[in-house]
């Protein structure tokens, strides 16, 4: 029991380190909970409860898989992406893109414009769900605008 009494605060400290406040939201709760459950499974194995630890492991894998699936299907998770739109008509593209973002309820961040040859390149960052990303790209393409998407983290490295 002494080992378990020291394990709980130690794993709690590690779990707290996994929880991060980022862009107005909290991330890492699932990771922290998973670390705590894996430590519990390790204690069960140490106590000789192999069947219980195996069942818990399978149950956790199933739960995490279902949560990931639901997160994707219901567009609960957003990610920061950089959108790049290339056009010869800057003002029209800016107006249409702005209107489109308003319709999709997406906030534009870090707006930049570059002049490349005879065309303009418009870049902006946005935090979007998987469905919003695909809707934005398809509607930009329908407007006749060339568009690219890249992860925001890859842009800054």
């Amino acid at each position: 029991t002494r080992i378990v009494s020291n394990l709980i605060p130690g794993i709690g400290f590690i779990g707290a380190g996994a929880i991060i406040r980022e862009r107005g939201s909290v991330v890492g709760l699932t990771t922290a909970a998973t670390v705590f459950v894996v430590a519990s499974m390790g204690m069960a194995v140490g106590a000789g409860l192999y069947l219980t630890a195996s069942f818990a492991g399978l149950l956790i894998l199933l739960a995490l898989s279902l949560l990931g699936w639901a997160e994707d299907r219901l567009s609960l998770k957003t990610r920061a992406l950089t959108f790049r739109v290339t056009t010869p008509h800057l003002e029209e593209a800016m107006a249409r893109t702005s209107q489109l973002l308003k319709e999709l309820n997406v906030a534009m961040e870090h707006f930049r414009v570059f002049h490349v040859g005879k065309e303009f390149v418009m870049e902006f960052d946005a935090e979007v769900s998987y469905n919003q990303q695909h809707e934005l790209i398809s509607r930009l393409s329908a407007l006749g605008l060339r568009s690219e998407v890249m992860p925001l983290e890859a842009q800054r490295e």
Side-chain angles (χ1 to χ4, degrees):
T1 59
R2 288 180 140 179
I3 294 173
V4 174
S5 69
N6 291 320
L7 179 78
I8 292 172
I11 294 301
F13 184 76
I14 292 171
I19 299 171
I20 300 169
R21 186 167 182 270
E22 183 179 287
R23 296 183 190 210
S25 65
V26 177
V27 295
L29 291 175
T30 307
T31 303
T34 304
V35 167
F36 202 85
V37 168
V38 169
S40 300
M41 288 169 41
M43 289 305 298
V45 168
L49 302 170
Y50 305 114
L51 188 60
T52 304
S54 299
F55 178 73
L58 291 174
L59 190 64
I60 294 304
L61 284 173
L62 178 67
L64 289 174
S65 297
L66 286 174
L67 281 173
W69 177 83
E71 198 174 56
D72 286 341
R73 294 294 175 249
L74 300 174
S75 296
L76 298 176
K77 187 172 188 168
T78 60
R79 55 190 164 206
L81 298 172
T82 299
F83 292 87
R84 182 179 292 154
V85 179
T86 306
T87 180
H89 310 291
L90 180 62
E91 293 81 17
E92 181 183 340
M94 285 174 53
R96 288 185 175 195
T97 303
S98 179
Q99 178 63 32
L100 183 56
L101 290 172
K102 191 180 293 184
E103 289 173 14
L104 294 174
N105 198 25
V106 174
M108 182 187 308
E109 301 172 7
H110 304 108
F111 181 76
R112 300 169 293 283
V113 175
F114 307 101
H115 192 196
V116 180
K118 295 180 181 181
E119 296 185 316
F120 294 93
V121 177
M122 188 173 58
E123 277 188 0
F124 60 91
D125 302 335
E127 204 164 310
V128 295
S129 68
Y130 182 77
N131 291 342
Q132 286 174 322
Q133 174 190 347
H134 285 285
E135 181 70 18
L136 184 58
I137 292 300
S138 67
R139 290 181 63 183
L140 284 172
S141 296
L143 292 173
L145 302 172
R146 287 189 321 236
S147 55
E148 301 174 64
V149 183
M150 62 194 99
L152 185 61
E153 293 79 26
Q155 176 95 23
R156 295 196 174 153
E157 289 179 352

